[in-house]
Amino acid sequence: MNVYSILVFIHIFSAILGMGPGFILTRIVKLANSMTEIRHAYRIRRDLHIFVMIGGTLLLITGLLMGFIHPYLFKMGWYVTSLVLFLTGLAMGPFVLSPKSKPIKELLESYKGEDVPKEYEALSRELFRYERILNFIFLIIIVLMILKPF
């Protein structure tokens, strides 16, 4: 096995480790019906997000290393498009998802009671919309990685 093959293996493994849990983060919270369940679901999300961050970091590093080993990849449309989409998705974390999550976290910490407030429903609906967009971006990246269409 050469270095490139090892990088491909780590890259695929990282995609499973990082993207797999990322696709279910929204679903975990949507299944919750009370504030206790919602708080618990957000704790589970936080723990799973660690896998997403580790996997995502390894994806970026191994993907770039494969490009440096085979520089022709930087001339391939599918590779460059995937890289731009990945960096866009990565930027959505601190610039979109985090600001949308902050009021939800504050509400979860301060709200007393078990009924789910309307404010939470509106805030979570907006957050989940952006999470679905992010998931769609990652699905496009997966398709590009598999098919290498251009």
Side-chain angles (χ1 to χ4, degrees):
M1 238 185 180
N2 60 22
V3 173
Y4 189 82
S5 297
I6 292 169
L7 288 174
V8 170
F9 174 82
I10 294 169
H11 192 72
I12 293 169
F13 189 80
S14 299
I16 295 165
L17 176 73
M19 291 184 160
F23 285 117
I24 64 164
L25 292 178
T26 303
R27 184 77 178 139
I28 289 170
V29 178
K30 287 186 82 160
L31 294 172
N33 295 316
S34 69
M35 288 305 286
T36 298
E37 289 179 3
I38 291 171
R39 286 183 183 100
H40 183 67
Y42 274 95
R43 281 192 295 276
I44 292 170
R45 275 173 59 108
R46 185 190 63 228
D47 291 347
L48 285 175
H49 192 255
I50 293 167
F51 291 99
V52 174
M53 291 187 317
I54 293 168
T57 301
L58 285 172
L59 274 171
L60 182 59
I61 291 168
T62 56
L64 288 172
L65 287 173
M66 288 186 289
F68 292 129
I69 290 172
H70 294 296
Y72 69 86
L73 288 173
F74 289 105
K75 295 178 182 168
M76 306 298 292
W78 63 268
Y79 181 88
V80 174
T81 303
S82 295
L83 185 57
V84 169
L85 287 173
F86 190 84
L87 293 173
T88 300
L90 194 62
M92 283 182 70
F95 294 112
V96 179
L97 299 179
S98 185
K100 298 294 181 193
S101 298
K102 191 173 186 174
I104 293 173
K105 289 177 185 175
E106 291 170 359
L107 179 66
L108 293 176
E109 289 174 9
S110 65
Y111 185 79
K112 306 296 182 222
E114 279 301 305
D115 57 313
V116 179
K118 296 285 185 208
E119 182 184 5
Y120 169 78
E121 304 226 359
L123 292 169
S124 66
R125 192 171 22 258
E126 187 174 3
L127 172 64
F128 298 160
R129 181 171 8 114
Y130 287 106
E131 287 181 353
R132 284 191 295 276
I133 291 168
L134 185 60
N135 285 342
F136 184 70
I137 289 170
F138 287 133
L139 284 173
I140 292 170
I141 293 169
I142 291 169
V143 169
L144 289 171
M145 292 283 133
I146 294 169
L147 299 179
K148 301 172 178 52
F150 52 95

